[in-house]
DNA sequence: GCAATTATTATGTATATACATGATTGCAGG
DNA sequence: CCTGCAATCATGTATATACATAATAATTGC
């Protein structure tokens, strides 16, 4: 380290849009990792060195590193330094859009009908699905979503009335139950199960396909404050429909 | 604001483990939002006020807010303040584990066999799937993964040999092609398509199910530095298997 | 020579400070 | 009444500083 003459303040500015310094440093390091220039296991320069290289304070580099570490791109060890992480089990992000949005992306007009709407005490099967005990009352709603004239998806939903009593009097003809719930119940957690199934007779009839047709089934369970809210089964007929999940290393960006 | 007497330094410390201040503030605010105490649209206290309340500097609160905003729990507007966001289209996280791991979770022993292994010039269909042009060479590998004696999943994989020439000489009898690639190609991006399909004759035979059985099909395309690496189709027989994706508001960390 | 102790070092957290940015409010002037 | 300028305010970014923490390296004591 003999020449401390002119630390280039625009070491990264070449790419420079009007992004912030933080962003430029982040994407610079990210690029080196994702491109393989810094392969997994490689120790990257110390924070102080990077700070000098980018002509900034350590804190700035530190924050970038914190973010990269949280995104899983790097691993940090005190005293040893920061290392490019091994790209292990990738967690792809599955966008679960609104069905109406999903349909509209196909260019066809969206519509839906409520084909069943009943309120009763939960059966054993329903209690299991909703993770309820005792004899709570539930609302069972079945809706058929359409893309143009063709059935797009069959939604079979159970709503826990002790958690959302207002649902009993709700009018789902204008607002689909999914949207109605999302607008009412703040920040719920959800679990999705995705599997394939052959359409049984009644499902096939509603979806206007042959019985036995392979369908994609998405089950969604929703909680709020630890209590069950709703369980929904979405059945997509045939082999046309597909869910898309993507993974980008930089993703956390 | 008449009493500025004793700002309680341990306003949150009640819950206090030995977590950092940042974490405690974060989880405190998070809890209020997720529980609905601060419903969507609610304006939360200004950063300076929160700082006083938690007995810390504004920077600390600011960093927490930045994180919450990135996680999508809050929205921030200059001059106006920070607001609880509307819980829109939830992006669930789909864990794509290794198949061996997936099998071992069932308690059954994992094994696999390579049932086909050929190298040739890419056909039109293969070029389309790999997003290749020209007449590149590809390696086509078919592997059957088993849980105990029963077929668990059929993997049909194409590897772009111009991107990964070493694959031509690789021995996949000890290391499955998926794992082999992940160990070699650093930090690739991937896209997954999930759909249902009826098993055709040859697939059904290999998976030991009736032709026409509904199967869950996961397609994975992988890139590195913008170039295609591999395309894999995983076919899970029957209705047993299911993918699980979960969404937690706090999830983003 | 080897265990126990003590530096050293790089990350990790928190603070006070400064100024930039952008939206909103309010006031002035037509 | 409405336009436009200026003040204000809350967030946004960056910095210098301080000290905590954990892991490694060096040194001491026996």
């Amino acid at each position: 380290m003999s020449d401390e003459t002119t630390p280039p303040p625009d070491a990264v500015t070449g790419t420079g849009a009007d992004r912030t310094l933080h962003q430029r440093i982040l994407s610079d390091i990210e690029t080196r990792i994702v491109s393989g220039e810094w392969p997994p296991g490689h120790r990257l320069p110390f924070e102080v060195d990077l700070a000098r290289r980018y002509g900034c304070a350590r804190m700035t580099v530190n924050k970038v590193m914190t973010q990269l570490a949280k995104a899983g791109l790097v691993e940090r060890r005190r005293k040893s330094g920061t290392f490019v992480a091994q790209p292990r089990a990738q967690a792809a992000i599955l966008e679960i859009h609104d069905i109406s949005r999903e349909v509209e992306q196909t260019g066809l007009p969206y519509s839906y009908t409520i084909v069943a709407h009943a309120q009763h005490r939960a059966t054993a099967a329903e209690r299991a699905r909703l993770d309820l005990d005792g004899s709570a009352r539930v609302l069972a709603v079945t809706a058929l979503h359409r893309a143009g004239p063709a059935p797009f998806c069959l939604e079979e939903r159970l709503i826990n009335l002790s958690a959302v009593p207002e649902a009993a009097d709700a009018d789902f003809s204008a607002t689909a139950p999914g949207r109605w719930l999302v607008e009412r119940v703040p920040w719920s957690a959800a679990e999705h199960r995705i599997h394939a199934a052959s359409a049984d007779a009644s499902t096939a009839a509603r979806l206007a396909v042959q019985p036995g047709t392979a369908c994609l089934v998405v089950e969604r369970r929703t909680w709020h404050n630890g209590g069950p809210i709703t369980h929904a089964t979405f059945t997509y007929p045939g082999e046309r429909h597909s869910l898309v999940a993507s993974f980008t290393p930089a993703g956390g960006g």
Side-chain angles (χ1 to χ4, degrees), chain A:
Chain A
M1 307 301 164
S2 48
D3 53 348
E4 292 302 297
T5 40
T6 322
D10 52 348
V12 201
T13 322
T15 20
D18 51 352
R19 296 180 298 166
T20 115
L21 180 54
H22 180 100
Q23 287 172 303
R24 276 186 290 137
I25 297 176
L26 185 103
S27 83
D28 181 59
I29 295 178
E30 210 168 71
T31 303
R32 284 175 207 262
I33 293 175
V34 170
S35 74
E37 180 186 336
W38 288 347
H42 177 258
R43 206 201 69 217
L44 32 132
F46 300 129
E47 295 185 352
V48 279
D49 296 338
L50 285 171
R52 261 197 306 143
R53 183 145 125 201
Y54 292 121
C56 70
R58 181 172 83 94
M59 265 301 291
T60 309
V61 172
N62 187 320
K63 282 205 275 187
V64 170
M65 289 313 198
T66 304
Q67 198 172 329
L68 284 171
K70 195 148 36 192
L73 273 171
V74 302
E75 275 172 25
R76 316 174 77 182
R77 252 167 288 148
R78 282 182 222 251
K79 166 76 184 182
S80 311
T82 305
F83 300 81
V84 177
Q86 296 292 333
R88 43 188 89 267
Q90 54 220 30
I93 289 169
L94 184 66
E95 291 274 352
I96 308 272
H97 354 54
D98 214 37
I99 297 179
S100 63
R101 208 170 290 259
E102 222 172 325
V103 168
E104 275 154 11
Q105 276 185 348
T106 69
L108 291 166
Y110 167 72
S111 63
Y112 76 94
T113 350
I114 302 293
V115 297
H117 184 287
Q119 187 187 137
H120 50 78
R121 271 217 321 285
T123 67
E126 288 170 347
R127 287 203 301 274
R129 278 201 284 176
L130 265 177
D131 200 26
L132 278 173
D133 43 9
S135 61
R137 289 186 72 76
V138 295
L139 181 64
V141 182
T142 305
L144 181 65
H145 302 266
R146 284 199 204 78
F152 180 78
C153 169
L154 183 69
E155 169 182 358
E156 293 163 286
R157 185 182 289 271
L158 285 176
I159 300 173
N160 177 11
L161 282 175
S162 43
V164 199
E166 321 93 271
D169 309 314
D171 175 23
F172 294 133
S173 63
T175 311
R179 182 186 287 268
W180 185 91
L181 277 166
V182 115
E183 281 169 1
R184 221 140 304 236
V185 182
W187 288 109
S188 46
E191 185 193 82
H192 301 84
R193 290 200 119 79
I194 303 156
H195 59 99
S198 296
D200 62 33
S202 80
T203 304
R206 280 177 168 153
L207 288 172
V209 294
Q210 294 294 325
T213 303
C215 294
L216 187 66
V217 180
V218 179
E219 279 184 275
R220 183 189 302 171
R221 285 211 290 175
T222 307
W223 293 266
H224 176 64
N225 280 342
I229 297 290
T230 182
H231 175 284
T233 304
F234 302 91
T235 306
Y236 297 87
E239 314 195 356
R240 280 161 295 160
H241 191 81
S242 67
L243 298 175
V244 179
S246 52
F247 168 75
T248 325

